[in-house]
Amino acid sequence: MRNARPSSGAREVVVREDSLCRVSYLSVDYRSEDGEVHALSSVSLEIRRKEILALVGESGCGKSTLALSIIGLLPAQNSRILSGQILFEGKDLLSLSGKQMQKIRGTGIAMIFQEPLSALHPVLKIREQLGEAISIRRSRQGGHSLDQVFSYKPRASEFRGPLKRLVNLPSRRRYPKEVEDEMIASLKLVRIPDPERILNQYPFELSGGMRQRVAIAMALSENPGLLIADEPTTALDVTTQAQVLRLMKELAEKGETSLLIITHDLGVAAQVADRIVVMYAGEVVEEATIQELFSRPLHPYTKALLACLPKGSKKDGPLGSIPGSIPDLRKSFEWCPFVERCQYAMERCGREHPALEGDERHSVSCFLYS
Ligand code: ATP
Ligand code: SF4
């Protein structure tokens, strides 16, 4: 029953001309010791070319699961895609082999995470990591073979102590001039001052903001059509957060990259996004342009999120909290999943599931509007 219900996408799927990535009726479960967790229930959304889409919602509503589904990195050991389709540049991602998906990750879709250290190798200098990313992209594009690109390989005898075990890592390579030039250019692009010096540093020698800029440079060096940023500024102080957000917005506007920014912070979404998708309990409950959502929020959950922003600076603060908590995702909701926390709940809300209805500018799943 759950898998068949297009709860978050009852609208007919219309693929727009400027569609880059279209997720349709995607349902994903995780196996856990306590039972099956229905992390995504029939989720549909579209990421358009050259737009910034924010995916917003409380912790545990399924944002990361959606991102990992798109980039093909769901944990193999306990996740299961029950139904749905993900079209990226016309390709059906869920039908691709592991190897084909790896190629998409290298050239079409890239991801950055909350803690950039997780994307950076701790014992390799920035030069080796960025050089590796650029070289791999160049070799994929057919410019050089990797053997040509790496003109220097270290000998085991050059390493001491624990580093000896890491001898196979791409350390101490020299790169052709065009790769060196591209490294410098990509660090300049993300406004890193003195890029030559930064290239010779290790990740632990950089500040959190600098590390995130390097992670963005590495992701962009793959020239992706879609960059997914999962809580990219949560670990940063407010000033650095604003700088990194501004930078990501500028880069998306300048280039050909669309950005899917995942955040629990409506203030972050307001700073960068063109459109917002609000998720609750594994479903899309509202979708609108940024202006629409802030001026005319419809879903009671979205209104509650907005009410949690600090007064006087509605667009700049972290989310407060809404009374109650998100429901147990082991349940299948044949009713409105927000019913237990909704001040407008009606009798119908406890026995029927609302569908997402509306138009391109604004849609919502709530019986107050249908
Ligand atoms: P957060 O902002 O905290 O990362 P989220 O909105 O990204 O939350 P998900 O991480 O996608 O939400 O989690 C959705 C649901 O799936 C949650 O109930 C979570 O506990 C569960 N879940 C996520 N990853 C796993 C996993 N690997 N194994 C089992 N359950 C998982
Ligand atoms: Fe509230 Fe009912 Fe709307 Fe759900 S459908 S958000 S319970 S009013």
Side-chain angles (χ1 to χ4, degrees):
M1 179 70 178
R2 169 180 165 259
N3 307 344
R5 171 173 51 76
S7 61
S8 299
R11 292 170 304 172
E12 194 187 333
V13 175
V14 179
V15 180
R16 293 167 47 107
E17 251 183 41
D18 61 352
S19 174
L20 176 71
C21 183
R22 171 88 225 175
V23 177
S24 306
Y25 307 131
L26 185 68
S27 295
V28 176
D29 278 6
Y30 291 109
R31 243 186 352 268
S32 77
E33 282 181 4
D34 303 322
E36 293 274 315
V37 177
H38 309 314
L40 295 182
S41 289
S42 207
V43 164
S44 295
L45 60 79
E46 183 166 59
I47 306 161
R48 301 173 190 165
R49 287 182 196 278
K50 298 181 86 167
E51 82 162 347
I52 303 183
L53 180 69
L55 195 56
V56 177
E58 287 166 294
S59 181
C61 69
K63 306 182 295 296
S64 300
T65 302
L66 181 58
L68 295 174
S69 305
I70 294 173
I71 201 167
L73 289 177
L74 282 171
Q77 67 279 12
N78 72 335
S79 68
R80 197 158 57 109
I81 296 177
L82 301 161
S83 60
Q85 187 185 52
I86 304 175
L87 283 181
F88 177 74
E89 292 187 321
K91 289 192 195 77
D92 179 0
L93 296 188
L94 299 184
S95 69
L96 298 185
S97 67
K99 210 166 172 190
Q100 288 168 320
M101 205 51 221
Q102 210 172 352
K103 199 162 174 198
I104 296 271
R105 277 198 292 277
T107 53
I109 308 175
M111 188 156 172
I112 53 174
F113 298 88
Q114 174 177 339
E115 179 37 84
L117 273 184
S118 61
L120 298 173
H121 200 291
V123 300
L124 293 180
K125 288 183 178 172
I126 303 304
R127 162 172 274 99
E128 281 118 23
Q129 312 202 36
L130 193 52
E132 178 89 345
I134 291 170
S135 302
I136 287 173
R137 194 212 66 231
R138 281 174 164 255
S139 83
R140 278 202 186 110
Q141 288 173 339
H144 306 267
S145 75
L146 280 182
D147 286 345
Q148 285 172 311
V149 166
F150 301 131
S151 54
Y152 176 88
K153 287 193 176 145
R155 291 194 303 272
S157 58
E158 291 179 60
F159 290 87
R160 301 265 179 277
L163 275 185
K164 213 166 178 173
R165 273 178 273 139
L166 298 168
V167 72
N168 288 326
L169 290 170
S171 183
R172 299 247 217 134
R173 281 171 168 157
R174 284 192 200 115
Y175 299 94
K177 182 167 179 326
E178 60 265 31
V179 175
E180 287 282 343
D181 288 347
E182 195 175 328
M183 285 191 234
I184 302 280
S186 63
L187 291 184
K188 280 188 178 158
L189 189 70
V190 294
R191 307 259 165 66
I192 289 188
D194 200 359
E196 288 86 356
R197 185 175 56 85
I198 297 294
L199 280 177
N200 286 323
Q201 292 194 298
Y202 292 96
F204 69 84
E205 295 178 290
L206 307 180
S207 67
M210 280 294 166
R211 283 200 289 262
Q212 195 56 290
R213 280 164 200 256
V214 171
I216 294 170
M218 280 180 62
L220 290 178
S221 72
E222 293 174 1
N223 207 9
L226 173 62
L227 177 61
I228 302 174
D230 194 350
E231 304 276 7
T233 56
T234 308
L236 306 177
D237 64 73
V238 178
T239 313
T240 316
Q241 169 174 309
Q243 288 168 354
V244 170
L245 288 174
R246 212 174 312 125
L247 175 72
M248 290 175 72
K249 188 169 172 65
E250 278 174 30
L251 292 173
E253 280 167 358
K254 259 195 241 161
E256 292 296 314
T257 302
S258 302
L259 187 61
L260 175 64
I261 185 157
I262 295 172
T263 177
H264 62 276
D265 187 336
L266 220 37
V268 164
Q271 284 181 60
V272 290
D274 302 308
R275 290 191 304 126
I276 296 197
V277 168
V278 181
M279 286 189 70
Y280 185 75
E283 301 183 9
V284 172
V285 296
E286 187 161 6
E287 185 177 343
T289 60
I290 193 98
Q291 292 83 359
E292 266 284 303
L293 195 107
F294 276 88
S295 61
R296 204 170 61 95
L298 297 179
H299 199 283
Y301 177 61
T302 311
K303 289 181 183 172
L305 289 179
L306 282 166
C308 290
L309 288 179
K311 289 207 169 40
S313 60
K314 285 213 158 205
K315 292 188 175 181
D316 300 324
L319 295 181
S321 63
I322 301 169
S325 51
I326 62 164
D328 184 346
L329 293 188
R330 288 169 303 170
K331 285 183 195 159
S332 296
F333 299 106
E334 302 306 329
W335 52 87
C336 173
F338 194 56
V339 68
E340 283 171 16
R341 301 167 84 183
C342 182
Q343 56 175 310
Y344 308 101
M346 307 165 268
E347 193 267 332
R348 180 185 182 191
C349 309
R351 59 181 163 77
E352 279 179 60
H353 194 289
L356 193 70
E357 289 174 347
D359 56 29
E360 290 220 329
R361 207 158 51 107
H362 204 154
S363 46
V364 65
S365 68
C366 173
F367 290 129
L368 291 173
Y369 310 97
S370 61

